[in-house]
mmCIF file of all heavy atoms in Angstrom:
data_model
loop_
_atom_site.group_PDB
_atom_site.id
_atom_site.type_symbol
_atom_site.label_atom_id
_atom_site.label_comp_id
_atom_site.label_asym_id
_atom_site.label_seq_id
_atom_site.Cartn_x
_atom_site.Cartn_y
_atom_site.Cartn_z
ATOM 1 N N ASP A 212 18.614 -10.202 9.981
ATOM 2 C CA ASP A 212 18.562 -11.354 10.876
ATOM 3 C C ASP A 212 17.638 -12.399 10.256
ATOM 4 O O ASP A 212 16.428 -12.214 10.188
ATOM 5 C CB ASP A 212 18.027 -10.922 12.253
ATOM 6 C CG ASP A 212 17.831 -12.110 13.183
ATOM 7 O OD1 ASP A 212 18.350 -13.208 12.864
ATOM 8 O OD2 ASP A 212 17.161 -11.954 14.218
ATOM 9 N N PHE A 213 18.231 -13.495 9.803
ATOM 10 C CA PHE A 213 17.442 -14.541 9.164
ATOM 11 C C PHE A 213 17.407 -15.814 10.005
ATOM 12 O O PHE A 213 17.241 -16.916 9.487
ATOM 13 C CB PHE A 213 17.992 -14.834 7.758
ATOM 14 C CG PHE A 213 17.829 -13.657 6.834
ATOM 15 C CD1 PHE A 213 18.898 -12.812 6.583
ATOM 16 C CD2 PHE A 213 16.609 -13.380 6.260
ATOM 17 C CE1 PHE A 213 18.746 -11.712 5.748
ATOM 18 C CE2 PHE A 213 16.443 -12.275 5.427
ATOM 19 C CZ PHE A 213 17.517 -11.451 5.164
ATOM 20 N N SER A 214 17.551 -15.647 11.333
ATOM 21 C CA SER A 214 17.445 -16.802 12.230
ATOM 22 C C SER A 214 16.017 -17.349 12.226
ATOM 23 O O SER A 214 15.798 -18.539 12.417
ATOM 24 C CB SER A 214 17.871 -16.417 13.646
ATOM 25 O OG SER A 214 17.113 -15.315 14.114
ATOM 26 N N SER A 215 15.031 -16.453 12.035
ATOM 27 C CA SER A 215 13.646 -16.881 11.854
ATOM 28 C C SER A 215 13.381 -16.891 10.356
ATOM 29 O O SER A 215 13.095 -15.858 9.757
ATOM 30 C CB SER A 215 12.681 -15.920 12.567
ATOM 31 O OG SER A 215 11.345 -16.307 12.327
ATOM 32 N N ALA A 216 13.509 -18.075 9.745
ATOM 33 C CA ALA A 216 13.615 -18.138 8.289
ATOM 34 C C ALA A 216 12.270 -18.119 7.569
ATOM 35 O O ALA A 216 12.203 -17.734 6.410
ATOM 36 C CB ALA A 216 14.385 -19.396 7.877
ATOM 37 N N GLU A 217 11.179 -18.519 8.238
ATOM 38 C CA GLU A 217 9.917 -18.642 7.511
ATOM 39 C C GLU A 217 9.276 -17.285 7.247
ATOM 40 O O GLU A 217 9.164 -16.456 8.142
ATOM 41 C CB GLU A 217 8.934 -19.518 8.289
ATOM 42 C CG GLU A 217 7.638 -19.757 7.520
ATOM 43 C CD GLU A 217 6.692 -20.697 8.238
ATOM 44 O OE1 GLU A 217 6.985 -21.907 8.248
ATOM 45 O OE2 GLU A 217 5.681 -20.221 8.787
ATOM 46 N N VAL A 218 8.857 -17.090 6.008
ATOM 47 C CA VAL A 218 8.153 -15.872 5.607
ATOM 48 C C VAL A 218 6.835 -16.282 4.962
ATOM 49 O O VAL A 218 6.815 -17.061 3.999
ATOM 50 C CB VAL A 218 8.985 -15.042 4.609
ATOM 51 C CG1 VAL A 218 8.202 -13.811 4.151
ATOM 52 C CG2 VAL A 218 10.317 -14.631 5.222
ATOM 53 N N GLN A 219 5.731 -15.782 5.505
ATOM 54 C CA GLN A 219 4.405 -16.056 4.941
ATOM 55 C C GLN A 219 4.128 -15.045 3.836
ATOM 56 O O GLN A 219 4.205 -13.838 4.065
ATOM 57 C CB GLN A 219 3.348 -15.932 6.027
ATOM 58 C CG GLN A 219 1.946 -16.284 5.578
ATOM 59 C CD GLN A 219 1.698 -17.778 5.573
ATOM 60 O OE1 GLN A 219 2.155 -18.478 6.466
ATOM 61 N NE2 GLN A 219 0.995 -18.268 4.571
ATOM 62 N N VAL A 220 3.835 -15.537 2.646
ATOM 63 C CA VAL A 220 3.533 -14.672 1.506
ATOM 64 C C VAL A 220 2.052 -14.819 1.171
ATOM 65 O O VAL A 220 1.599 -15.892 0.762
ATOM 66 C CB VAL A 220 4.392 -15.027 0.274
ATOM 67 C CG1 VAL A 220 4.092 -14.071 -0.882
ATOM 68 C CG2 VAL A 220 5.878 -14.997 0.631
ATOM 69 N N LEU A 221 1.291 -13.741 1.372
ATOM 70 C CA LEU A 221 -0.135 -13.732 1.074
ATOM 71 C C LEU A 221 -0.354 -13.002 -0.244
ATOM 72 O O LEU A 221 0.014 -11.830 -0.380
ATOM 73 C CB LEU A 221 -0.921 -13.038 2.190
ATOM 74 C CG LEU A 221 -0.749 -13.598 3.608
ATOM 75 C CD1 LEU A 221 -1.615 -12.814 4.587
ATOM 76 C CD2 LEU A 221 -1.079 -15.081 3.659
ATOM 77 N N LEU A 222 -0.941 -13.683 -1.208
ATOM 78 C CA LEU A 222 -1.182 -13.133 -2.531
ATOM 79 C C LEU A 222 -2.675 -12.878 -2.684
ATOM 80 O O LEU A 222 -3.487 -13.817 -2.690
ATOM 81 C CB LEU A 222 -0.692 -14.102 -3.605
ATOM 82 C CG LEU A 222 0.822 -14.391 -3.581
ATOM 83 C CD1 LEU A 222 1.134 -15.623 -4.423
ATOM 84 C CD2 LEU A 222 1.614 -13.204 -4.065
ATOM 85 N N VAL A 223 -3.053 -11.604 -2.787
ATOM 86 C CA VAL A 223 -4.457 -11.221 -2.892
ATOM 87 C C VAL A 223 -4.874 -11.306 -4.358
ATOM 88 O O VAL A 223 -4.424 -10.518 -5.192
ATOM 89 C CB VAL A 223 -4.685 -9.803 -2.340
ATOM 90 C CG1 VAL A 223 -6.150 -9.418 -2.474
ATOM 91 C CG2 VAL A 223 -4.246 -9.727 -0.882
ATOM 92 N N GLN A 224 -5.740 -12.268 -4.649
ATOM 93 C CA GLN A 224 -6.154 -12.529 -6.031
ATOM 94 C C GLN A 224 -7.357 -11.673 -6.388
ATOM 95 O O GLN A 224 -8.370 -11.676 -5.700
ATOM 96 C CB GLN A 224 -6.505 -14.010 -6.182
ATOM 97 C CG GLN A 224 -6.927 -14.417 -7.578
ATOM 98 C CD GLN A 224 -7.314 -15.885 -7.628
ATOM 99 O OE1 GLN A 224 -7.591 -16.494 -6.606
ATOM 100 N NE2 GLN A 224 -7.342 -16.448 -8.823
ATOM 101 N N GLY A 225 -7.248 -10.955 -7.478
ATOM 102 C CA GLY A 225 -8.350 -10.111 -7.934
ATOM 103 C C GLY A 225 -9.127 -10.747 -9.054
ATOM 104 O O GLY A 225 -9.512 -11.909 -8.976
ATOM 105 N N THR A 226 -9.314 -10.000 -10.140
ATOM 106 C CA THR A 226 -10.150 -10.458 -11.253
ATOM 107 C C THR A 226 -9.348 -11.072 -12.391
ATOM 108 O O THR A 226 -9.907 -11.388 -13.445
ATOM 109 C CB THR A 226 -10.971 -9.274 -11.805
ATOM 110 O OG1 THR A 226 -10.068 -8.239 -12.231
ATOM 111 C CG2 THR A 226 -11.909 -8.725 -10.746
ATOM 112 N N ASP A 227 -8.035 -11.247 -12.203
ATOM 113 C CA ASP A 227 -7.190 -11.756 -13.282
ATOM 114 C C ASP A 227 -7.161 -13.276 -13.355
ATOM 115 O O ASP A 227 -6.415 -13.847 -14.164
ATOM 116 C CB ASP A 227 -5.758 -11.241 -13.120
ATOM 117 C CG ASP A 227 -5.671 -9.730 -13.279
ATOM 118 O OD1 ASP A 227 -6.574 -9.159 -13.908
ATOM 119 O OD2 ASP A 227 -4.720 -9.129 -12.758
ATOM 120 N N GLY A 228 -7.920 -13.934 -12.502
ATOM 121 C CA GLY A 228 -7.929 -15.388 -12.519
ATOM 122 C C GLY A 228 -6.642 -15.970 -11.968
ATOM 123 O O GLY A 228 -6.029 -15.411 -11.053
ATOM 124 N N ASP A 229 -6.207 -17.074 -12.553
ATOM 125 C CA ASP A 229 -5.073 -17.828 -12.024
ATOM 126 C C ASP A 229 -3.728 -17.303 -12.518
ATOM 127 O O ASP A 229 -2.683 -17.689 -12.026
ATOM 128 C CB ASP A 229 -5.238 -19.301 -12.424
ATOM 129 C CG ASP A 229 -4.308 -20.234 -11.667
ATOM 130 O OD1 ASP A 229 -3.992 -19.946 -10.489
ATOM 131 O OD2 ASP A 229 -3.884 -21.255 -12.242
ATOM 132 N N ALA A 230 -3.761 -16.392 -13.479
ATOM 133 C CA ALA A 230 -2.532 -16.021 -14.185
ATOM 134 C C ALA A 230 -1.651 -15.070 -13.387
ATOM 135 O O ALA A 230 -2.123 -14.148 -12.727
ATOM 136 C CB ALA A 230 -2.884 -15.374 -15.521
ATOM 137 N N LEU A 231 -0.357 -15.318 -13.468
ATOM 138 C CA LEU A 231 0.678 -14.343 -13.099
ATOM 139 C C LEU A 231 1.396 -14.029 -14.406
ATOM 140 O O LEU A 231 2.375 -14.676 -14.761
ATOM 141 C CB LEU A 231 1.639 -14.918 -12.056
ATOM 142 C CG LEU A 231 1.110 -15.030 -10.629
ATOM 143 C CD1 LEU A 231 2.109 -15.784 -9.747
ATOM 144 C CD2 LEU A 231 0.839 -13.650 -10.038
ATOM 145 N N SER A 232 0.898 -13.039 -15.113
ATOM 146 C CA SER A 232 1.282 -12.846 -16.509
ATOM 147 C C SER A 232 2.699 -12.335 -16.699
ATOM 148 O O SER A 232 3.274 -12.495 -17.771
ATOM 149 C CB SER A 232 0.299 -11.894 -17.193
ATOM 150 O OG SER A 232 0.216 -10.664 -16.480
ATOM 151 N N ALA A 233 3.273 -11.707 -15.674
ATOM 152 C CA ALA A 233 4.613 -11.128 -15.830
ATOM 153 C C ALA A 233 5.647 -11.820 -14.943
ATOM 154 O O ALA A 233 6.745 -11.312 -14.769
ATOM 155 C CB ALA A 233 4.577 -9.632 -15.512
#
Side-chain angles (χ1 to χ4, degrees):
D212 175 14
F213 295 100
S214 56
S215 177
E217 184 176 286
V218 177
Q219 184 81 39
V220 182
L221 304 181
L222 298 165
V223 179
Q224 181 182 19
T226 58
D227 295 338
D229 194 32
L231 285 173
S232 56

